[in-house]
């Protein structure tokens, strides 16, 4: 059985989750950061993180961290932490392909006594039912006899410089009580606020998947309230401010629900629920409503343009923001593309401006060409879609200067006072 002193770590997957984790461990102990993306590895070796989750200066502090895309460099490791994405496919079904491939990679170097810890968001049971059999098949070893598993769900919040790996409490678990203790001890080396040791891997998996499911359902409720209040001619933000004076009112806001977590994780839980014969009505209803918000925003804008007697077909619209959240370059599952797609159905000409988004990634992922700098006086409408700090700093006057003398300013993110915009969600 491994002890804390002889643990040799490797992190598999150096994205938004894996790199910050590897860097923190790399400040304290030897660790290999592995990723199949060779340009990513080369950039990290050169001292830069394109996701901007870790600064160049912070990368330098991880003096015990090495980077590799070569599987042979994993052979000396005995504890593997898997931090690969778990997306959904075009039919909104869980896509475990990255997780299975990572398990196959580890299986090729897995030895007796090794531990594999998964951090990727999955449905309850996935670690032991989907991943462990792959490890067994590739390695020829037996689970809980020759090797062991753990699950410690990631809690990374992209773009958040306040809540970091070390100051977010970590859930840990293991496939045996002894392994659970060791997994917990490993993470306690870097987590300053402590850990919560779950009684089983399945409990830890379930805890992770409901975190974002709960947020999704709450946002869906607020989105539905916004639809109602818009029809009643009531400002949703003012209603929420008033209701928020009660101590136990939850401070959710309406909006688009994208990204790799809130807009994805509920489908992992509903998939598992349906597999055991239960139809989760509330969760799926919330998902349907949140997934429809892009089309709703587009329809609201079209109506506003018509009321202003601005010709819709051929109108020029500037969307400010493309990433799924503010102050972050992450384009995964951004729902801004739903607005764009819907507006194009009306033959509206859409320009997208986002100082945080990588232009080549926007083109590759969505076929979108972003503008480097929008010109003043060009647009029939401006949509404030993402609350980037640069947009906040601009203020109403500079934003409106981008529009024609007669235009509609749609503030999706409540960046401006209510009287400063023409339309709000």
């Amino acid at each position: 059985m491994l002890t804390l002193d002889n643990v040799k770590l490797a992190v598999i997957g150096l994205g938004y989750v894996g790199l910050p984790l590897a860097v923190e461990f790399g400040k304290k102990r030897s660790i290999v950061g592995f990723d199949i993306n060779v340009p990513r590895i080369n950039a990290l070796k050169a001292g830069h993180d394109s996701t901007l989750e870790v600064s160049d200066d912070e990368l330098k502090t991880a003096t015990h961290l090495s980077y590799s895309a070569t599987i042979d460099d994993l052979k000396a490791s005995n504890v593997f932490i898997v931090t690969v994405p778990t997306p959904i496919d075009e039919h909104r079904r869980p896509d475990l392909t990255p997780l299975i491939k990572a398990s196959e990679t580890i299986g090729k170097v897995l030895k007796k006594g090794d531990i594999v810890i998964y951090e990727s968001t999955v449905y309850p049971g996935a670690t032991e039912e989907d991943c462990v059999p792959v490890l067994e098949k590739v390695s020829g070893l037996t689970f809980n006899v020759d090797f062991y598993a753990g699950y410690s769900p990631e809690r990374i919040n992209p773009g958040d410089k306040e809540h970091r790996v070390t100051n977010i409490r970590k859930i840990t678990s293991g496939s045996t009580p002894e392994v659970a203790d060791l997994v917990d001890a490993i993470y306690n080396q870097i987590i300053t606020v402590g850990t919560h040791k779950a009684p089983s891997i399945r409990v830890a998996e379930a805890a992770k998947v409901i975190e974002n499911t709960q947020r999704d359902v709450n946002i869906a409720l607020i989105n539905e309230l916004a639809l109602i209040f818009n029809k009643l001619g009531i400002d949703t933000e003012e209603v929420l401010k008033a209701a928020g004076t009660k101590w136990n009112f939850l401070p959710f806001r309406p909006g688009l629900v994208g990204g790799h977590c809130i807009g994805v994780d509920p489908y992992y839980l509903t998939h598992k629920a349906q597999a055991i014969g239960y139809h989760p009505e509330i969760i799926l209803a919330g998902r349907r409503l949140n997934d429809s918000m892009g089309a709703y925003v587009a329809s609201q804008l079209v109506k506003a343009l018509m009321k202003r007697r601005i010709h819709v077909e051929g109108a020029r619209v500037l969307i400010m923001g493309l990433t799924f959240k503010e102050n972050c370059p992450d384009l995964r599952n951004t729902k801004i593309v739903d607005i764009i797609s819907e507006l194009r159905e009306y033959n509206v000409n859409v320009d997208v401006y986002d100082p945080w988004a990588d232009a080549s990634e926007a083109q590759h992922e969505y076929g979108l060409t972003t503008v480097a700098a929008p010109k003043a006086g060009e647009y029939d409408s401006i949509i404030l879609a993402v609350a980037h700090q640069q947009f906040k700093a601009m203020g109403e006057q500079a934003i409106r200067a981008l529009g024609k003398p007669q235009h509609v300013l749609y503030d999706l993110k409540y960046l401006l006072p209510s009287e400063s915009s023409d339309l709000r969600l």
Side-chain angles (χ1 to χ4, degrees), residues 95-385:
D95 180 6
L96 296 181
T97 303
L99 206 56
I100 298 303
K101 289 187 177 298
S103 300
E104 289 173 346
T105 296
I106 295 170
K108 295 174 183 177
V109 297
L110 198 64
K111 306 173 297 300
K112 287 189 175 183
D114 287 0
I115 301 172
V116 185
I117 305 168
Y118 291 90
E119 288 209 4
S120 308
T121 302
V122 291
Y123 45 75
T127 297
E128 291 156 301
E129 296 167 11
D130 297 285
C131 299
V132 164
V134 175
L135 295 171
E136 287 186 313
K137 180 179 178 181
V138 177
S139 70
L141 301 175
T142 302
F143 178 52
N144 274 347
V145 174
D146 299 318
F147 74 93
Y148 306 89
Y151 185 79
S152 180
E154 60 89 1
R155 279 177 165 172
I156 296 293
N157 188 24
D160 189 340
K161 301 308 179 185
E162 180 182 352
H163 301 97
R164 309 298 300 274
V165 172
T166 57
N167 63 13
I168 302 175
R169 197 172 183 195
K170 199 89 162 70
I171 298 172
T172 66
S173 64
S175 56
T176 70
E178 295 77 18
V179 169
D181 288 341
L182 180 56
V183 170
D184 195 63
I186 290 171
Y187 281 106
N188 265 303
Q189 289 192 306
I190 63 168
I191 306 299
T192 59
V193 293
T195 58
H196 174 88
K197 188 166 58 176
S200 70
I201 287 176
R202 286 166 62 87
V203 167
E205 291 169 327
K208 170 56 182 174
V209 81
I210 70 166
E211 288 176 13
N212 288 319
T213 300
Q214 182 186 65
R215 287 180 56 78
D216 193 43
V217 171
N218 275 296
I219 296 170
L221 171 62
I222 302 300
N223 275 336
E224 187 162 65
L225 293 175
L227 304 187
I228 295 169
F229 294 144
N230 283 346
K231 286 185 174 294
L232 292 173
I234 301 173
D235 189 304
T236 302
E237 172 72 354
E238 295 303 326
V239 174
L240 295 175
K241 284 180 180 178
T245 60
K246 190 168 186 281
W247 75 92
N248 59 352
F249 185 82
L250 301 178
F252 288 95
R253 289 295 181 271
L256 305 176
V257 183
H260 60 102
C261 288
I262 301 179
V264 172
D265 294 358
Y267 288 120
Y268 275 76
L269 184 57
T270 58
H271 168 82
K272 188 65 174 181
Q274 289 170 327
I276 59 173
Y278 180 78
H279 182 72
E281 296 185 19
I282 293 175
I283 298 171
L284 287 175
R287 278 282 73 236
R288 285 193 298 271
L289 196 146
N290 285 341
D291 278 345
S292 72
M293 291 304 292
Y296 175 78
V297 167
S299 68
Q300 288 296 98
L301 178 61
V302 167
K303 290 175 183 177
L305 291 171
M306 293 173 66
K307 288 180 180 178
R308 293 285 183 92
R309 298 186 183 279
I310 298 173
H311 198 58
V312 174
E313 187 168 2
R316 295 199 63 191
V317 173
L318 175 66
I319 295 183
M320 297 180 67
L322 179 61
T323 61
F324 91 89
K325 67 179 292 188
E326 66 276 4
N327 306 323
C328 171
D330 197 344
L331 292 176
R332 290 175 294 175
N333 195 35
T334 175
K335 292 303 177 181
I336 308 300
V337 297
D338 293 353
I339 303 175
I340 297 169
S341 177
E342 193 71 16
L343 287 175
R344 284 177 173 171
E345 291 290 318
Y346 292 94
N347 292 324
V348 170
N349 297 311
V350 180
D351 282 351
V352 180
Y353 169 56
D354 193 323
W356 283 85
D358 182 89
S360 59
E361 186 180 355
Q363 180 64 47
H364 179 265
E365 294 296 327
Y366 302 108
L368 291 174
T369 301
T370 57
V371 297
K375 295 180 180 179
E378 293 269 326
Y379 298 99
D380 297 291
S381 177
I382 301 156
I383 302 178
L384 287 171

Side-chain angles (χ1 to χ4, degrees), residues 390-411:
Q390 290 93 331
F391 300 159
K392 288 183 180 180
M394 287 176 68
E396 179 191 0
Q397 186 173 353
I399 293 170
R400 282 201 178 273
L402 300 171
K404 297 176 180 178
Q406 177 80 333
H407 67 269
V408 174
L409 176 56
Y410 195 160
D411 185 2

